[in-house]
Amino acid sequence: MSTRRRDFVVFADDWGRHPSSCQHLFARIAREHRVLWVNTIGTRKPTLSAADLARGLEKAREWATKGRENGAARRSDQGGEGERRESAVEVIAPLMTPFDHWGAFRSLNAGLLRRAVRKALDERGFARPILVTTIPNAWGVVGEIDERASIYYCVDDFAEWPGADRESMQAMEAKLLRRVDLVIATSAALVEDKRRTHARVQHLPHGVDWPRFQRTDEPPPAAIAEKPRPRIGYVGLTDERLDVALIEDVARAMPEASFLFVGPRQLAKGPLDEMPNIHFIPPVPYERVPSVLRALDAAILPYRAEGRLAERLSPLKALEILAAGVPLIATPLPELVRLGRGVRIARSAEEVRGALRSAIDVEDEASRNARAQSVREESWESRASHFLELIEQARTRSPKRPAEPRSEAPRSEAPRSEAPLRVTTLTPEDEAAWDELVEASPEGSLYHRSGWARVIRNAFDQKPLYQVAKAGEAIEGVLPLIAFRNPLFGRYLVSMPYLNRGGIVARTERARKALLAKARSLLESTHSKFCELRHESPIDPTLPARTDKVSMDLDVTEGAEALWKAIGPKVRNLIRKAQKAGLTTREADLRDLPAFYEIFAENMRDLGTPVYTQAFFQETLREFPEETRLTLVEEEEGTPVAGGICLTQGDRTEMHWAAASRRALPRSPNMLLYWEAIENAAKTGLQTFCFGRATEGSGPHRFKKQWGAKPTRLQWEYLLAPGATQPAMNPENPKFALAIKAWKKLPVAITKVLGPPIVRHIP
């Protein structure tokens, strides 16, 4: 996992009752972090139906039992990646009324929940937990338990669920959105929806326990095995979201097939019950679901495809069906259309029938294996790691705001002018306002500052296309952009080249959309193949993205002494080795830049990479004198053998460029260089030391990880021209292997001449 040990308190569906996405995530997170899981009431308005009365009795028994047990720990065995690792989740079930649709009872429930959770946290010694909720009902606890951060993990549009009280759900969610620090949503439509009322919304799709669905040795339940083939199945909650008319039409036209609906049922009896080839089978334990799926000839997800709920629905079972290798036919829910990868989309009963018959007639083991392999990387382990990264990122980028007055005024996005929005090219008169917006925004970084336009134009002779979204004279958003014309790759746009971050920074959603539209327009008008937006967090989940790069960050708030103890004996010994060899560090300036450049050029040659022009570093130091820090490592006689340039903004500093002379490597000058930079960051009151970006699993990634740095996944998003594909301009591309090998053999002096004209075209 990607963070230090934390305490979590989670408000969600009853633990262990159904395998929800939140339960999958926290079964993994609980392996390394303490988790207090709070079972809460449902989101539907209760009725006098037999099902609701039975559920009410079940909750009453749980409240009584949990009250006596005081939330005894439950053990979860939801492993992954081929192993089963036990994780402890402590579960409590506070007493709450089932009448959240009445305002007085909402307030009562909020008070009951607050008192129960505070008591449980005190008893367990949870210190400043991270609060996560998947349901709006927990609005009254946010900001009341001294939490480090609060997250709304939004998995559905509960106000649109069958049986839900829309007004009460919307009221509670509005209160929740005004209070939480971060929203993490599971579908692109939910992301878009929540961004209308919250400034920090991230996308995290569902995952899958892939190894679990590869098991082939377990027979299906008898209720499945006894049904004649071909078997067509749906696994999940059967309710009003399903298209009953479509199901009836398909089943009537395929009397030879058995249609199995496996799982809890909330759908009223009707025409489906009268059909001899439709069978409703009670829920099976989650561990039996793989055997159910593998007994099917095809699976269906026959949801109603129209309406607000359908737009936001992201069925958890889709990836599980594909992981089991089963052909999947689905109605055109937007999330399933985006998923692609083996999902056959059918828009009518006739198309469903055709797709099912095709799947039954031509399916073979090779097709099943290919389908399973297509989702192998979508593991819950990776989703849990990314979930923690998003939380840490929110905490480090956006300090915890004080508790807000409990007024009902909407928080939504930053205030905006009523004037119409226009997007124009940056002028010198707007540079100060541009930089003010960047510095005030959680998404802003030093790399978004207006001065980089001068640096890149002067050093590389590249054309800046810096875009400003303005309402009247007020700036609502910015997009730094550089236009390239590469002899090998053609024309393209990048934000920001030669740097680790870039992309859109906006105070309002309309500015974000306007700048993205402007980028698309520039893509067309400049005849470019692609526009690369180097975001740290995605702004549009529908865009293709490169996610193999991570930023390696180290929290330095505990001070230099604690960091020295934490880095471990191996790293400490290498630092001492450099010190015993007589190496020392010195803060340098522009006059020392040629010495640094000599070391840097040699290092880049050894890596097989063309070197930047020295003018790039010179322009950077001149443009940002207060934000840059050049450090040299020198031998006793004063000869530099290593050097690095750190860039600082706010409470964060990053070692963006570093190099060490090959002849000095046995004395570990690079280790001394990094330690001095880390120590300086801690002593000067900064919060984060960034080692720069790295590809996961690479040598640089392992080097940075050994210091205790944690990854924050970068999201480089792409706008593509018609017919264009996502670029692969990186050293790992096999077609560059020969060129890299040849470059390593060149004299350094030659690479300093040939390198700059080449690298100016490589962002």
Side-chain angles (χ1 to χ4, degrees), residues 493-516:
L493 307 171
V494 181
S495 176
M496 279 292 290
Y498 319 119
L499 304 170
N500 292 341
R501 292 174 181 80
I504 293 171
V505 175
R507 293 171 50 241
T508 64
E509 184 63 22
R510 69 170 183 170
R512 183 180 289 108
K513 289 181 177 179
L515 289 167
L516 193 59

PDB file of all heavy atoms in Angstrom, residues 493-516:
ATOM      1  N   LEU A 493       0.920  18.851 -29.199  1.00  0.00           N
ATOM      2  CA  LEU A 493       0.863  19.837 -28.123  1.00  0.00           C
ATOM      3  C   LEU A 493       1.114  19.136 -26.799  1.00  0.00           C
ATOM      4  O   LEU A 493       0.646  18.009 -26.592  1.00  0.00           O
ATOM      5  CB  LEU A 493      -0.515  20.509 -28.089  1.00  0.00           C
ATOM      6  CG  LEU A 493      -1.025  21.121 -29.405  1.00  0.00           C
ATOM      7  CD1 LEU A 493      -2.483  21.534 -29.258  1.00  0.00           C
ATOM      8  CD2 LEU A 493      -0.172  22.304 -29.799  1.00  0.00           C
ATOM      9  N   VAL A 494       1.832  19.808 -25.891  1.00  0.00           N
ATOM     10  CA  VAL A 494       2.149  19.197 -24.595  1.00  0.00           C
ATOM     11  C   VAL A 494       2.019  20.239 -23.491  1.00  0.00           C
ATOM     12  O   VAL A 494       2.435  21.381 -23.641  1.00  0.00           O
ATOM     13  CB  VAL A 494       3.580  18.604 -24.578  1.00  0.00           C
ATOM     14  CG1 VAL A 494       3.864  17.950 -23.221  1.00  0.00           C
ATOM     15  CG2 VAL A 494       3.773  17.593 -25.698  1.00  0.00           C
ATOM     16  N   SER A 495       1.470  19.803 -22.358  1.00  0.00           N
ATOM     17  CA  SER A 495       1.409  20.622 -21.159  1.00  0.00           C
ATOM     18  C   SER A 495       1.803  19.742 -19.961  1.00  0.00           C
ATOM     19  O   SER A 495       1.022  18.885 -19.560  1.00  0.00           O
ATOM     20  CB  SER A 495      -0.011  21.163 -20.956  1.00  0.00           C
ATOM     21  OG  SER A 495      -0.107  21.894 -19.754  1.00  0.00           O
ATOM     22  N   MET A 496       3.005  19.888 -19.428  1.00  0.00           N
ATOM     23  CA  MET A 496       4.082  20.753 -19.857  1.00  0.00           C
ATOM     24  C   MET A 496       5.288  19.895 -20.254  1.00  0.00           C
ATOM     25  O   MET A 496       5.630  18.954 -19.529  1.00  0.00           O
ATOM     26  CB  MET A 496       4.489  21.669 -18.699  1.00  0.00           C
ATOM     27  CG  MET A 496       3.570  22.866 -18.529  1.00  0.00           C
ATOM     28  SD  MET A 496       3.715  24.036 -19.899  1.00  0.00           S
ATOM     29  CE  MET A 496       5.357  24.720 -19.631  1.00  0.00           C
ATOM     30  N   PRO A 497       5.943  20.231 -21.368  1.00  0.00           N
ATOM     31  CA  PRO A 497       7.104  19.450 -21.795  1.00  0.00           C
ATOM     32  C   PRO A 497       8.311  19.692 -20.897  1.00  0.00           C
ATOM     33  O   PRO A 497       8.423  20.739 -20.252  1.00  0.00           O
ATOM     34  CB  PRO A 497       7.355  19.968 -23.209  1.00  0.00           C
ATOM     35  CG  PRO A 497       6.855  21.377 -23.183  1.00  0.00           C
ATOM     36  CD  PRO A 497       5.659  21.352 -22.272  1.00  0.00           C
ATOM     37  N   TYR A 498       9.195  18.702 -20.857  1.00  0.00           N
ATOM     38  CA  TYR A 498      10.458  18.755 -20.094  1.00  0.00           C
ATOM     39  C   TYR A 498      10.220  18.788 -18.579  1.00  0.00           C
ATOM     40  O   TYR A 498      11.190  18.807 -17.805  1.00  0.00           O
ATOM     41  CB  TYR A 498      11.311  19.978 -20.487  1.00  0.00           C
ATOM     42  CG  TYR A 498      11.330  20.280 -21.957  1.00  0.00           C
ATOM     43  CD1 TYR A 498      10.866  21.490 -22.453  1.00  0.00           C
ATOM     44  CD2 TYR A 498      11.817  19.341 -22.869  1.00  0.00           C
ATOM     45  CE1 TYR A 498      10.878  21.773 -23.812  1.00  0.00           C
ATOM     46  CE2 TYR A 498      11.831  19.610 -24.234  1.00  0.00           C
ATOM     47  CZ  TYR A 498      11.355  20.831 -24.697  1.00  0.00           C
ATOM     48  OH  TYR A 498      11.361  21.103 -26.040  1.00  0.00           O
ATOM     49  N   LEU A 499       8.956  18.804 -18.150  1.00  0.00           N
ATOM     50  CA  LEU A 499       8.605  18.900 -16.736  1.00  0.00           C
ATOM     51  C   LEU A 499       7.658  17.755 -16.375  1.00  0.00           C
ATOM     52  O   LEU A 499       7.127  17.079 -17.249  1.00  0.00           O
ATOM     53  CB  LEU A 499       7.943  20.255 -16.439  1.00  0.00           C
ATOM     54  CG  LEU A 499       8.774  21.489 -16.831  1.00  0.00           C
ATOM     55  CD1 LEU A 499       7.934  22.752 -16.736  1.00  0.00           C
ATOM     56  CD2 LEU A 499      10.023  21.608 -15.961  1.00  0.00           C
ATOM     57  N   ASN A 500       7.427  17.546 -15.083  1.00  0.00           N
ATOM     58  CA  ASN A 500       6.661  16.380 -14.636  1.00  0.00           C
ATOM     59  C   ASN A 500       5.154  16.603 -14.588  1.00  0.00           C
ATOM     60  O   ASN A 500       4.390  15.641 -14.553  1.00  0.00           O
ATOM     61  CB  ASN A 500       7.140  15.943 -13.244  1.00  0.00           C
ATOM     62  CG  ASN A 500       8.541  15.384 -13.286  1.00  0.00           C
ATOM     63  OD1 ASN A 500       9.030  14.989 -14.335  1.00  0.00           O
ATOM     64  ND2 ASN A 500       9.201  15.367 -12.137  1.00  0.00           N
ATOM     65  N   ARG A 501       4.735  17.841 -14.549  1.00  0.00           N
ATOM     66  CA  ARG A 501       3.307  18.129 -14.409  1.00  0.00           C
ATOM     67  C   ARG A 501       2.906  19.256 -15.336  1.00  0.00           C
ATOM     68  O   ARG A 501       3.728  19.985 -15.857  1.00  0.00           O
ATOM     69  CB  ARG A 501       2.960  18.501 -12.961  1.00  0.00           C
ATOM     70  CG  ARG A 501       3.100  17.345 -11.990  1.00  0.00           C
ATOM     71  CD  ARG A 501       2.891  17.837 -10.555  1.00  0.00           C
ATOM     72  NE  ARG A 501       3.033  16.761  -9.595  1.00  0.00           N
ATOM     73  CZ  ARG A 501       4.207  16.297  -9.150  1.00  0.00           C
ATOM     74  NH1 ARG A 501       5.327  16.824  -9.596  1.00  0.00           N
ATOM     75  NH2 ARG A 501       4.256  15.320  -8.274  1.00  0.00           N
ATOM     76  N   GLY A 502       1.599  19.383 -15.499  1.00  0.00           N
ATOM     77  CA  GLY A 502       1.042  20.437 -16.324  1.00  0.00           C
ATOM     78  C   GLY A 502      -0.453  20.265 -16.386  1.00  0.00           C
ATOM     79  O   GLY A 502      -1.075  19.761 -15.454  1.00  0.00           O
ATOM     80  N   GLY A 503      -1.046  20.679 -17.503  1.00  0.00           N
ATOM     81  CA  GLY A 503      -2.470  20.500 -17.683  1.00  0.00           C
ATOM     82  C   GLY A 503      -3.284  21.680 -17.197  1.00  0.00           C
ATOM     83  O   GLY A 503      -2.774  22.771 -16.942  1.00  0.00           O
ATOM     84  N   ILE A 504      -4.575  21.448 -17.048  1.00  0.00           N
ATOM     85  CA  ILE A 504      -5.539  22.504 -16.734  1.00  0.00           C
ATOM     86  C   ILE A 504      -5.597  22.762 -15.232  1.00  0.00           C
ATOM     87  O   ILE A 504      -5.632  21.833 -14.434  1.00  0.00           O
ATOM     88  CB  ILE A 504      -6.933  22.117 -17.259  1.00  0.00           C
ATOM     89  CG1 ILE A 504      -6.937  22.083 -18.800  1.00  0.00           C
ATOM     90  CG2 ILE A 504      -8.007  23.072 -16.754  1.00  0.00           C
ATOM     91  CD1 ILE A 504      -8.194  21.496 -19.393  1.00  0.00           C
ATOM     92  N   VAL A 505      -5.610  24.032 -14.860  1.00  0.00           N
ATOM     93  CA  VAL A 505      -5.893  24.461 -13.491  1.00  0.00           C
ATOM     94  C   VAL A 505      -7.076  25.408 -13.571  1.00  0.00           C
ATOM     95  O   VAL A 505      -7.018  26.418 -14.282  1.00  0.00           O
ATOM     96  CB  VAL A 505      -4.681  25.170 -12.851  1.00  0.00           C
ATOM     97  CG1 VAL A 505      -5.057  25.710 -11.475  1.00  0.00           C
ATOM     98  CG2 VAL A 505      -3.499  24.239 -12.749  1.00  0.00           C
ATOM     99  N   ALA A 506      -8.156  25.086 -12.880  1.00  0.00           N
ATOM    100  CA  ALA A 506      -9.368  25.892 -13.003  1.00  0.00           C
ATOM    101  C   ALA A 506     -10.068  26.045 -11.662  1.00  0.00           C
ATOM    102  O   ALA A 506     -10.114  25.113 -10.865  1.00  0.00           O
ATOM    103  CB  ALA A 506     -10.321  25.260 -14.018  1.00  0.00           C
ATOM    104  N   ARG A 507     -10.633  27.234 -11.448  1.00  0.00           N
ATOM    105  CA  ARG A 507     -11.418  27.500 -10.247  1.00  0.00           C
ATOM    106  C   ARG A 507     -12.847  27.026 -10.397  1.00  0.00           C
ATOM    107  O   ARG A 507     -13.537  26.797  -9.407  1.00  0.00           O
ATOM    108  CB  ARG A 507     -11.427  28.996  -9.937  1.00  0.00           C
ATOM    109  CG  ARG A 507     -10.101  29.589  -9.529  1.00  0.00           C
ATOM    110  CD  ARG A 507     -10.142  31.107  -9.451  1.00  0.00           C
ATOM    111  NE  ARG A 507     -11.277  31.576  -8.670  1.00  0.00           N
ATOM    112  CZ  ARG A 507     -12.252  32.355  -9.148  1.00  0.00           C
ATOM    113  NH1 ARG A 507     -12.238  32.715 -10.407  1.00  0.00           N
ATOM    114  NH2 ARG A 507     -13.230  32.755  -8.375  1.00  0.00           N
ATOM    115  N   THR A 508     -13.325  26.921 -11.640  1.00  0.00           N
ATOM    116  CA  THR A 508     -14.721  26.574 -11.881  1.00  0.00           C
ATOM    117  C   THR A 508     -14.805  25.450 -12.904  1.00  0.00           C
ATOM    118  O   THR A 508     -13.899  25.259 -13.724  1.00  0.00           O
ATOM    119  CB  THR A 508     -15.512  27.781 -12.410  1.00  0.00           C
ATOM    120  OG1 THR A 508     -14.979  28.164 -13.682  1.00  0.00           O
ATOM    121  CG2 THR A 508     -15.439  28.955 -11.452  1.00  0.00           C
ATOM    122  N   GLU A 509     -15.910  24.721 -12.851  1.00  0.00           N
ATOM    123  CA  GLU A 509     -16.118  23.631 -13.798  1.00  0.00           C
ATOM    124  C   GLU A 509     -16.279  24.164 -15.214  1.00  0.00           C
ATOM    125  O   GLU A 509     -15.812  23.558 -16.175  1.00  0.00           O
ATOM    126  CB  GLU A 509     -17.347  22.825 -13.390  1.00  0.00           C
ATOM    127  CG  GLU A 509     -17.610  21.613 -14.253  1.00  0.00           C
ATOM    128  CD  GLU A 509     -16.496  20.583 -14.196  1.00  0.00           C
ATOM    129  OE1 GLU A 509     -15.726  20.578 -13.207  1.00  0.00           O
ATOM    130  OE2 GLU A 509     -16.380  19.786 -15.145  1.00  0.00           O
ATOM    131  N   ARG A 510     -16.927  25.304 -15.372  1.00  0.00           N
ATOM    132  CA  ARG A 510     -17.103  25.830 -16.728  1.00  0.00           C
ATOM    133  C   ARG A 510     -15.762  26.224 -17.340  1.00  0.00           C
ATOM    134  O   ARG A 510     -15.563  26.074 -18.551  1.00  0.00           O
ATOM    135  CB  ARG A 510     -18.073  27.006 -16.730  1.00  0.00           C
ATOM    136  CG  ARG A 510     -17.571  28.286 -16.060  1.00  0.00           C
ATOM    137  CD  ARG A 510     -18.509  29.446 -16.349  1.00  0.00           C
ATOM    138  NE  ARG A 510     -18.011  30.704 -15.786  1.00  0.00           N
ATOM    139  CZ  ARG A 510     -18.541  31.895 -16.052  1.00  0.00           C
ATOM    140  NH1 ARG A 510     -19.585  31.976 -16.869  1.00  0.00           N
ATOM    141  NH2 ARG A 510     -18.039  32.992 -15.513  1.00  0.00           N
ATOM    142  N   ALA A 511     -14.835  26.716 -16.516  1.00  0.00           N
ATOM    143  CA  ALA A 511     -13.506  27.051 -17.042  1.00  0.00           C
ATOM    144  C   ALA A 511     -12.757  25.794 -17.447  1.00  0.00           C
ATOM    145  O   ALA A 511     -12.072  25.768 -18.477  1.00  0.00           O
ATOM    146  CB  ALA A 511     -12.715  27.835 -15.995  1.00  0.00           C
ATOM    147  N   ARG A 512     -12.888  24.739 -16.634  1.00  0.00           N
ATOM    148  CA  ARG A 512     -12.227  23.474 -16.974  1.00  0.00           C
ATOM    149  C   ARG A 512     -12.739  22.955 -18.325  1.00  0.00           C
ATOM    150  O   ARG A 512     -11.965  22.542 -19.187  1.00  0.00           O
ATOM    151  CB  ARG A 512     -12.479  22.451 -15.871  1.00  0.00           C
ATOM    152  CG  ARG A 512     -11.779  21.123 -16.079  1.00  0.00           C
ATOM    153  CD  ARG A 512     -12.063  20.153 -14.939  1.00  0.00           C
ATOM    154  NE  ARG A 512     -11.384  20.557 -13.716  1.00  0.00           N
ATOM    155  CZ  ARG A 512     -11.986  21.059 -12.648  1.00  0.00           C
ATOM    156  NH1 ARG A 512     -13.295  21.219 -12.653  1.00  0.00           N
ATOM    157  NH2 ARG A 512     -11.302  21.398 -11.578  1.00  0.00           N
ATOM    158  N   LYS A 513     -14.042  22.983 -18.505  1.00  0.00           N
ATOM    159  CA  LYS A 513     -14.616  22.497 -19.760  1.00  0.00           C
ATOM    160  C   LYS A 513     -14.215  23.384 -20.932  1.00  0.00           C
ATOM    161  O   LYS A 513     -13.921  22.890 -22.033  1.00  0.00           O
ATOM    162  CB  LYS A 513     -16.137  22.439 -19.636  1.00  0.00           C
ATOM    163  CG  LYS A 513     -16.646  21.346 -18.716  1.00  0.00           C
ATOM    164  CD  LYS A 513     -18.164  21.348 -18.658  1.00  0.00           C
ATOM    165  CE  LYS A 513     -18.686  20.213 -17.784  1.00  0.00           C
ATOM    166  NZ  LYS A 513     -20.173  20.222 -17.698  1.00  0.00           N
ATOM    167  N   ALA A 514     -14.200  24.699 -20.712  1.00  0.00           N
ATOM    168  CA  ALA A 514     -13.851  25.621 -21.797  1.00  0.00           C
ATOM    169  C   ALA A 514     -12.400  25.441 -22.236  1.00  0.00           C
ATOM    170  O   ALA A 514     -12.088  25.483 -23.435  1.00  0.00           O
ATOM    171  CB  ALA A 514     -14.097  27.061 -21.350  1.00  0.00           C
ATOM    172  N   LEU A 515     -11.509  25.231 -21.283  1.00  0.00           N
ATOM    173  CA  LEU A 515     -10.093  25.044 -21.623  1.00  0.00           C
ATOM    174  C   LEU A 515      -9.868  23.711 -22.319  1.00  0.00           C
ATOM    175  O   LEU A 515      -9.033  23.601 -23.229  1.00  0.00           O
ATOM    176  CB  LEU A 515      -9.240  25.158 -20.362  1.00  0.00           C
ATOM    177  CG  LEU A 515      -9.130  26.582 -19.800  1.00  0.00           C
ATOM    178  CD1 LEU A 515      -8.554  26.561 -18.387  1.00  0.00           C
ATOM    179  CD2 LEU A 515      -8.255  27.457 -20.702  1.00  0.00           C
ATOM    180  N   LEU A 516     -10.601  22.679 -21.903  1.00  0.00           N
ATOM    181  CA  LEU A 516     -10.482  21.394 -22.585  1.00  0.00           C
ATOM    182  C   LEU A 516     -10.994  21.515 -24.025  1.00  0.00           C
ATOM    183  O   LEU A 516     -10.394  20.976 -24.958  1.00  0.00           O
ATOM    184  CB  LEU A 516     -11.273  20.331 -21.819  1.00  0.00           C
ATOM    185  CG  LEU A 516     -11.020  18.876 -22.210  1.00  0.00           C
ATOM    186  CD1 LEU A 516      -9.564  18.493 -22.026  1.00  0.00           C
ATOM    187  CD2 LEU A 516     -11.905  17.937 -21.391  1.00  0.00           C
TER     188      LEU A 516
END
